[in-house]
Amino acid sequence: MTLSRALIDEAIAWRHQFHAWPELGFQEHKTAQQVAALLETFGFEVYSGLGGTGVVGTLRQGSGPVIGFRADMDALPVTEGTNLPYASQIPGQMHACGHDGHTAMLLAAARHLSQTRQFNGTLHLVFQPAEENLAGARRMIEDGLFRLFPMDAIFGLHNWPGLPQGQVALNSGAMMASLDTFEVTLTGKGCHAAMPDEGADPLVAAAELILALQTIPARRLSPLDSAVISVTQLSAGEAINVIPERAVLKGTVRCLQTPVRDRVEKLIGEFVTYLPQSFGVRGTMDYHRGYPVTVNHAPWAEQVCRAAKRALGESNVTFGINPSMASEDFAFMLQACPGAYFWLGTDGACPSPSLHSAHYDFNDAIIETGVTLWTTLAEQLMPVKA
């Protein structure tokens, strides 16, 4: 497949525009307007406002399969530290995860496919808001995504530091972990720090609880199960000479199997209820279920593998990659519709800064690769009749 240099240059220009004007989840008004306007010029039917600021573009060419491709549009509340000429113009907001690149690649694929039309079917391009923590995918689904736009399958791509530039990686099962959060309140009895026997110290209970929670993956789960429990915040007390009445712990839980996720929630609840009692402290917990496990559907993952090998060569495709314990709300879409999620490597001569880093910048050199992947996958899944 040959893509014009003009198309790739235009995609890079779009990417830099998105990067300079990042918008947080459900605030992607300017981005969504530009996406919708471009899709219309390409000849797509455009539906705006789905899930708040989401956009769906539809291109029909024959009576074949109905396929969806998704790109996320939102930025992060990060202050950029790159000093690039197209660096963020909005204080405290930055495209630190590459969603600017995802959007630009899918737009370029849209333009190419609208011109060549070498497919037989219907293509829905889903430009999603609020992937970062706010579950924009779920919001789009609740707002009727798959009811208004029924699909045989949907696919999502994410750039991936740590993989060589232009390489594709995926597997036929879990790609990303679930994400749950918890807040534990430990209530004891405050007292003078010199007289701890007159109180019930929630900080000692908190310290023991933090350590005890780490035994859940190590001792209460099978070594074949995957779970990460991280206590990330501890707040208590106001004065240095006072044992406080209350301590609050907050943290996250990530798992790669839904049954393990269920068991971990139950075990944390047991620890919170019973362990503090030995210190005369009462424990309560607010547990919030967030993103589910991102699980590929095997037949569709194999289709991505086949398309990637065809587009990039077998040596640039890894099928069977280990999943990540990070999370992704494309998981909601894969719960509602068959499909697959895959990574596109970004590391060139120098390793890329990590995702969510203030020094991260999407690698423009993979834009052509991403456009090639999308167009190859579209043409493979919706082949022209002989």
Side-chain angles (χ1 to χ4, degrees):
M1 176 183 301
T2 302
L3 300 172
S4 74
R5 188 64 243 174
L7 175 63
I8 302 306
D9 289 343
E10 193 165 26
I12 292 171
W14 295 331
R15 206 281 288 183
H16 291 182
Q17 290 171 11
F18 295 137
H19 191 92
W21 296 97
E23 296 173 299
L24 302 180
F26 297 123
Q27 300 174 29
E28 308 93 339
H29 302 289
K30 185 175 179 179
T31 304
Q33 288 171 4
Q34 183 174 355
V35 166
L38 285 169
L39 289 172
E40 286 179 352
T41 67
F42 304 159
F44 279 71
E45 303 166 24
V46 176
Y47 188 110
S48 295
L50 192 68
T53 48
V55 178
V56 179
T58 299
L59 187 63
R60 305 180 195 277
Q61 180 72 18
S63 58
V66 182
I67 300 298
F69 294 161
R70 170 271 208 170
D72 33 19
M73 300 187 294
D74 57 320
L76 283 157
V78 172
T79 298
E80 183 157 357
T82 66
N83 295 316
L84 292 163
Y86 50 86
S88 173
Q89 300 297 303
I90 303 178
Q93 296 179 199
M94 176 192 173
H95 270 296
C97 200
H99 298 182
D100 50 344
H102 301 165
T103 300
M105 287 191 295
L106 195 54
L107 283 170
R111 168 165 279 185
H112 179 80
L113 287 164
S114 70
Q115 292 171 340
T116 60
R117 293 185 177 264
Q118 293 299 305
F119 68 94
N120 174 45
T122 298
L123 179 64
H124 295 306
L125 302 186
V126 179
F127 292 86
Q128 179 206 310
E131 189 279 326
E132 300 288 357
N133 300 319
L134 297 176
R138 181 172 60 192
R139 175 83 174 271
M140 290 191 83
I141 294 167
E142 291 170 349
D143 215 7
L145 174 62
F146 294 114
R147 174 175 53 83
L148 295 170
F149 306 97
M151 305 176 200
D152 297 316
I154 190 165
F155 300 85
L157 172 159
H158 205 293
N159 78 98
W160 206 252
L163 283 177
Q165 176 179 306
Q167 292 204 4
V168 169
L170 74 162
N171 61 45
S172 59
M175 282 290 292
M176 306 281 279
S178 61
L179 170 59
D180 300 330
T181 60
F182 59 86
E183 179 175 328
V184 175
T185 301
L186 300 172
T187 305
K189 180 181 178 183
C191 63
H192 196 295
M195 307 167 192
D197 57 301
E198 296 183 1
D201 192 343
L203 278 169
V204 172
E208 292 288 347
L209 181 60
I210 291 169
L211 293 174
L213 291 179
Q214 302 312 307
T215 68
I216 291 176
R219 290 293 179 268
R220 301 299 299 277
L221 300 179
S222 165
L224 302 179
D225 294 333
S226 298
V228 175
I229 302 171
S230 296
V231 177
T232 55
Q233 296 180 21
L234 168 59
S235 57
E238 297 174 310
I240 197 170
N241 60 345
V242 176
I243 290 174
E245 179 180 341
R246 193 176 72 149
V248 177
L249 309 177
K250 296 181 181 180
T252 65
V253 176
R254 299 173 189 267
C255 303
L256 288 175
Q257 302 94 8
T258 299
V260 174
R261 184 188 192 192
D262 297 338
R263 178 160 168 74
V264 169
E265 180 181 355
K266 179 176 181 290
L267 288 170
I268 292 176
E270 292 176 357
F271 273 71
V272 169
T273 298
Y274 298 113
L275 185 146
Q277 292 179 1
S278 60
F279 300 94
V281 172
R282 180 171 61 91
T284 58
M285 180 174 69
D286 180 16
Y287 195 96
H288 174 70
R289 286 215 164 196
Y291 295 177
V293 184
T294 303
V295 182
N296 282 342
H297 297 250
W300 299 108
E302 290 164 4
Q303 288 279 4
V304 173
C305 180
R306 178 183 158 204
K309 288 179 177 179
R310 177 180 161 198
L312 309 177
E314 289 199 20
S315 63
N316 288 314
V317 181
T318 300
F319 192 72
I321 193 78
N322 287 332
S324 168
M325 296 307 289
S327 304
E328 161 65 72
D329 85 335
F330 188 67
F332 290 111
M333 294 194 181
L334 289 179
Q335 281 189 332
C337 179
Y341 176 85
F342 56 102
W343 297 330
L344 177 59
T346 64
D347 287 359
C350 296
S352 169
S354 65
L355 299 175
H356 296 203
S357 163
H359 301 284
Y360 167 88
D361 183 40
F362 184 88
N363 184 355
D364 288 335
I366 68 170
I367 285 181
E368 183 171 3
T369 306
V371 177
T372 300
L373 279 168
W374 280 135
T375 54
T376 302
L377 185 59
E379 292 171 358
Q380 174 180 292
L381 294 173
M382 298 178 287
V384 176
K385 295 179 181 179

